[in-house]
Amino acid sequence: MEFLSLRKSFTGLVLLFCLSSLSSPAGSDDVFAIGTMKIPPGEMRSGYLPVPEKDGIRTSVPFTVIHGSRKGKVLALVAGVHGYEYPPILALYRLRKMINPDSLAGTLIMIHVANLPAFQKRIIYYNPYDWKNLNRVFPGDPQGTISQRIAYVLKEEVIKKCDYLIDLHCGDGNEALIPYAYWMIKGDQEIDKVSKEMLLAFGLKYIIIDKTRSKDISHSKYLGNTAILLSKPAITTESGYLGKTDEISIVRNVKGILNVMKLFKMIEGEAEFIPEPVWIEPYEVIYSNHDGLFYPLTKMGYHVAKGEKVGYITDYLGEVKEEVRAPFSGIILYIVYTPPISQGEPLFEVGKAKPLSK
Ligand SMILES: [Zn+2]
């Protein structure tokens, strides 16, 4: 029921786009270049960014650029950095049909599936050719493995060409996850302020205050962090879970993106900000010390007390090898909810809600 009414209101929004008059028209020579493509104002184009071949392995990155007929900001939307995270991917295909370039101010870059090999092979976390996590290898390397080369292409063709970036994630195929987002703190007042506004506009209730990311661009690791270190305000969002394609998670992504577009005056309408965000600090990911099977004893969104048993791990013969406990009292942001577990992989993430959430 909830999503049906939301869909109706989106239809209304699409009509509104056609009526908008938001900023001055772009000049006819104001082309937007990406890869080998040059896109004039008022046009939408889709294609593939090639990721160069090495050792017989290559891929490409499917994208759409909607270059508005009016001048404005460039917002990059990246889905599918993890290939088993479907709601953001589906949200961008939906958004692609909703935005009219004639009434758009600025430019949208949509990366539909950043990690195409992982999507094709239905692999969580990793790329099946190098078994690296794309969201741990930024800023990438043009001479590196396939994940490093994808990261490099995304840095050159997406991050460097945008003003703002949203890295759209969700619970991976094995992760039960409540919607939340990361506010990656750079320590630059203006960039942190804009990133915060993007988070409040995107509208996910739980927001992790994350001061842990490297400030060294050569070890930026994450797509969003790389954008921030290149002075592009950016957020990482999580909406969706366990490999599902549920409508509510898809709509939450679409709605969040449209509201960020309003924030940057790309489409008509006033951005709405989430009235009562819950700020999370600190947070911690707990990793497995064993290979085997994980048995969770709590659920996503549940509160756990410090020391509470959150789950246990058995070996492949059914013998308990490890009991897993909460390092501090907090909320379960995600928890692995399928049996396989390997040493060094995440089991769950817990975060402490800060009082006075403003
Ligand atoms: Zn992800």
Side-chain angles (χ1 to χ4, degrees), residues 136-339:
R136 300 292 184 277
V137 300
F138 280 85
D141 178 352
Q143 307 303 324
T145 65
I146 186 75
S147 295
Q148 293 170 307
R149 300 201 303 280
I150 295 172
Y152 180 78
V153 168
L154 292 175
K155 184 189 74 176
E156 293 297 314
E157 295 291 345
V158 181
I159 296 175
K160 287 189 176 176
K161 293 180 180 176
C162 75
D163 297 309
Y164 313 105
L165 183 141
I166 306 178
D167 186 16
L168 299 146
H169 290 251
C170 65
D172 221 318
N174 58 332
E175 291 170 341
L177 173 150
I178 59 167
Y180 69 93
Y182 290 92
W183 183 23
M184 293 164 283
I185 306 289
K186 187 184 183 205
D188 176 311
Q189 242 179 2
E190 185 54 30
I191 288 171
D192 293 342
K193 177 170 162 278
V194 178
S195 297
K196 183 180 181 183
E197 287 172 352
M198 292 169 72
L199 287 161
L200 296 176
F202 198 93
L204 303 180
K205 181 177 173 185
Y206 294 95
I207 303 174
I208 292 177
I209 301 171
D210 189 356
K211 296 170 183 163
T212 66
R213 314 266 168 137
S214 173
K215 305 293 184 278
D216 174 359
I217 185 75
S218 64
H219 297 97
S220 58
K221 275 194 181 181
Y222 305 88
L223 170 63
N225 190 41
T226 310
I228 284 169
L229 295 179
L230 292 172
S231 297
K232 316 291 177 100
I235 62 175
T236 300
T237 61
E238 305 271 358
S239 173
Y241 61 106
L242 283 173
K244 294 183 189 297
T245 59
D246 62 293
E247 183 68 14
I248 288 175
S249 296
I250 296 169
V251 168
R252 200 183 278 120
N253 278 284
V254 173
K255 195 177 167 200
I257 292 164
L258 290 174
N259 215 31
V260 171
M261 290 174 71
K262 287 181 190 171
L263 172 72
F264 295 135
K265 307 293 180 204
M266 299 175 76
I267 55 174
E268 196 163 85
E270 283 295 310
E272 288 175 17
F273 298 99
I274 188 159
E276 292 186 335
V278 177
W279 299 99
I280 301 282
E281 188 182 30
Y283 77 101
E284 187 171 337
V285 177
I286 283 67
Y287 298 91
S288 174
N289 293 314
H290 295 87
D291 293 341
L293 290 79
F294 179 56
Y295 292 83
L297 295 174
T298 187
K299 294 183 176 176
M300 60 179 180
Y302 276 33
H303 286 268
V304 290
K306 181 177 179 178
E308 183 175 330
K309 194 164 150 187
V310 172
Y312 61 94
I313 297 165
T314 71
D315 62 17
Y316 302 118
L317 303 177
E319 296 295 325
V320 175
K321 304 305 285 186
E322 186 179 348
E323 289 187 342
V324 186
R325 297 181 182 276
F328 51 79
S329 298
I331 185 168
I332 298 289
L333 296 160
Y334 75 77
I335 183 162
V336 165
Y337 237 65
T338 58

Side-chain angles (χ1 to χ4, degrees), residues 14 44 66 91-100 110:
V14 174
M44 175 171 80
I66 307 177
L92 292 196
Y93 288 120
R94 195 173 290 184
L95 204 65
R96 186 179 178 275
K97 294 182 186 164
M98 295 173 69
I99 307 294
N100 179 353
M110 296 185 194

